[in-house]
Amino acid sequence: MKVLRFHGKNIINGANSLEYLKQVSYKKAMIITGGKSMFRSGVIDKIKTYMEKPGCELKIHSGISKNPTKDQVMVALEEAREFKPETFIAVGGGSPLDAAKAVLLFYEFPELNFDNVFDKSLPTERTRTNFIAIPSTSGTASEVTHVSVITYPEKNLKLAIKTECLRPDLAIIDGNITMSLPAHIAAQTGMDALTHALESYINTNGDDFTDALAKEAIEGILEWLPVSCEQATLESRQKVHAFQCMAGMSFSNAGLGMVHGVSHAFGGLYNLAHGLGNAVILPYSMDYNKKDAAVAAKYKNLSKAVGSDIIEKVRELGRRIGIPACIKDAGVAEKDFQADFATLTENSMLGSTAVNPIKVSMDDMKKFVHCVYYGEKVDF
């Protein structure tokens, strides 16, 4: 028996769905967002307009970086404790959404903190707070997942806090919000979503429900992501926005794999953007995992659906939308990579690598990390 949960109470999907905020009741709401992009695009002003109600207070906390840290969460948490909201609204990319989840967890359950969050049995339900998530990028699907990924600078690690109470109550999937995304960000976040779908699809914890969501997301992203990057039409942005959400619903139930383990290792050490790391590593992982018979059969199924070899299709998409061929080309200095190699490989064995369909040995991981950095073929 398996319990599946794909999202919170509701998903509001479609262009202009941000207007749904007019229907939200609240007394005090705190918005958590990133830097300046949501202000420049006018999204924050729209939210303020839609939520303007007599006797209600709205507070904005900004400044969450692309890899949110413990310190950033704590600053936002102190502000929340002073303001005392009953509603949290996370708006932006996966980073402010993940940061808001950690703030929400420690705010509602003050006995929890970064020192003990991995040592305790975490609560599964919230009773004091409401949580609305509004993604501005089409990648992490944090708006429907129970996961918060936070960077621990003192450990050079990105670690995932997981519990059902982190899953937002309301997710708003409005393609209009993504229209200001530059092409390279649309590319990286879209490849992040494709990674979620592909890793979920081959995970041994998946089932018919997660496979169906993942497969539809894979086919949809392969079709619409190039259009989203090259033409930036509202239709293409809305399509990718929806497909990334479906990928999130799949992986939050089935799990991920080694791409995320390795990507978090590079992200934790070098502040490499998560979507970019996943995008680069993905085809290498597919070459590694295809030696498993069950994975190979699933790749064959996907190849039939998309009309060509799925691994080459992913590589071709990466080249087309400007994804670097290897981590070295993504900007990580060779001298740093060589100096940090032992730490990188150790950290790459953590997290989602543990649920990769092929159990990864340390010897294989050393070869794999070498290949993804230098762009060498994975043939072991």
Side-chain angles (χ1 to χ4, degrees):
M1 181 175 68
K2 185 176 182 180
V3 178
L4 300 170
R5 187 170 175 184
F6 293 111
H7 55 81
K9 294 176 182 176
N10 289 299
I11 296 175
I12 312 301
N13 181 53
N16 301 314
S17 55
L18 190 66
E19 291 188 24
Y20 185 85
L21 290 174
K22 295 176 181 177
Q23 303 179 38
V24 172
S25 298
Y26 75 100
K27 290 296 182 183
K28 284 188 173 185
M30 182 172 178
I31 296 173
I32 296 178
T33 190
K36 299 177 181 178
S37 62
M38 292 297 94
F39 295 92
R40 286 196 302 260
S41 65
V43 171
I44 298 297
D45 283 340
K46 283 185 179 180
I47 292 173
K48 289 163 65 177
T49 298
Y50 294 154
M51 297 195 70
E52 187 175 0
K53 297 176 177 69
C56 297
E57 294 182 63
L58 196 62
K59 187 176 187 61
I60 301 172
H61 178 88
S62 62
I64 304 298
S65 65
K66 66 181 179 181
N67 287 304
T69 66
K70 290 169 52 180
D71 290 344
Q72 290 175 349
V73 169
M74 293 307 298
V75 170
L77 177 62
E78 287 307 309
E79 195 168 325
R81 285 172 172 165
E82 290 180 11
F83 182 56
K84 296 181 173 57
E86 88 290 338
T87 299
F88 285 82
I89 303 171
V91 57
S95 298
L97 270 61
D98 278 5
K101 288 179 176 181
V103 172
L104 184 75
L105 181 67
F106 299 151
Y107 175 79
E108 173 131 354
F109 305 100
E111 70 275 13
L112 295 175
N113 53 59
F114 280 117
D115 293 328
N116 64 20
V117 71
F118 294 109
D119 301 324
K120 291 181 176 288
S121 178
L122 299 182
T124 58
E125 299 291 337
R126 284 176 280 107
T127 58
R128 296 172 48 220
T129 51
N130 303 310
F131 186 23
I132 301 169
I134 307 169
S136 65
T137 60
S138 304
T140 68
S142 190
E143 72 277 0
V144 291
T145 72
H146 63 303
V147 182
S148 170
V149 179
I150 303 297
T151 298
Y152 286 61
E154 75 278 9
K155 298 179 180 179
N156 292 320
L157 270 177
K158 294 173 73 174
L159 298 175
I161 304 168
K162 300 179 182 180
T163 178
E164 275 301 323
C165 75
L166 296 181
R167 205 182 296 267
D169 302 302
L170 177 67
I172 296 178
I173 313 299
D174 187 341
N176 276 316
I177 299 175
T178 72
M179 292 301 290
S180 61
L181 279 180
H184 74 284
I185 300 298
Q188 292 173 19
T189 54
M191 290 295 288
D192 184 21
L194 182 61
T195 303
H196 293 156
L198 280 162
E199 288 206 295
S200 173
Y201 188 65
I202 64 170
N203 194 294
T204 57
N205 292 319
D207 58 21
D208 292 340
F209 288 90
T210 59
D211 281 1
L213 284 163
K215 187 171 183 289
E216 187 70 15
I218 292 163
E219 293 179 33
I221 292 168
L222 287 172
E223 177 182 358
W224 287 100
L225 183 56
V227 185
S228 172
C229 295
E230 295 166 359
Q231 300 178 31
T233 61
L234 178 57
E235 181 184 24
S236 63
R237 291 286 169 103
Q238 185 67 54
K239 289 279 190 183
V240 177
H241 216 32
F243 288 128
Q244 66 86 30
C245 186
M246 292 167 61
M249 287 189 274
S250 180
F251 89 74
S252 69
N253 287 275
L256 294 165
M258 68 188 302
V259 179
H260 277 74
V262 178
S263 180
H264 283 169
F266 276 99
L269 272 173
Y270 307 118
N271 200 29
L272 186 70
H274 177 66
L276 176 58
N278 280 354
V280 173
I281 297 164
L282 177 59
Y284 295 94
S285 76
M286 296 176 77
D287 276 333
Y288 180 80
N289 285 319
K290 70 182 181 184
K291 60 188 176 184
D292 178 87
V295 173
K298 286 202 162 183
Y299 284 164
K300 183 177 180 181
N301 185 32
L302 289 173
S303 297
K304 182 178 179 181
V306 302
S308 62
D309 180 79
I310 185 62
I311 302 178
E312 290 308 311
K313 188 84 170 177
V314 170
R315 281 202 179 91
E316 176 190 341
L317 173 60
R319 288 192 295 267
R320 178 174 172 179
I321 62 178
I323 300 300
C326 61
I327 296 293
K328 184 180 181 181
D329 291 349
V332 175
E334 186 171 16
K335 62 178 178 60
D336 293 332
F337 170 74
Q338 292 175 347
D340 297 330
F341 185 77
T343 300
L344 273 171
T345 52
E346 289 173 9
N347 291 352
S348 292
M349 296 292 289
L350 303 175
S352 296
T353 298
V355 294
N356 195 64
I358 295 177
K359 186 172 177 58
V360 186
S361 67
M362 178 56 83
D363 284 343
D364 274 4
M365 184 57 79
K366 289 177 180 178
K367 296 175 187 175
F368 186 81
V369 169
H370 178 91
C371 287
V372 300
Y373 181 79
Y374 288 105
E376 298 178 2
K377 185 173 179 58
V378 174
D379 56 5
F380 51 89

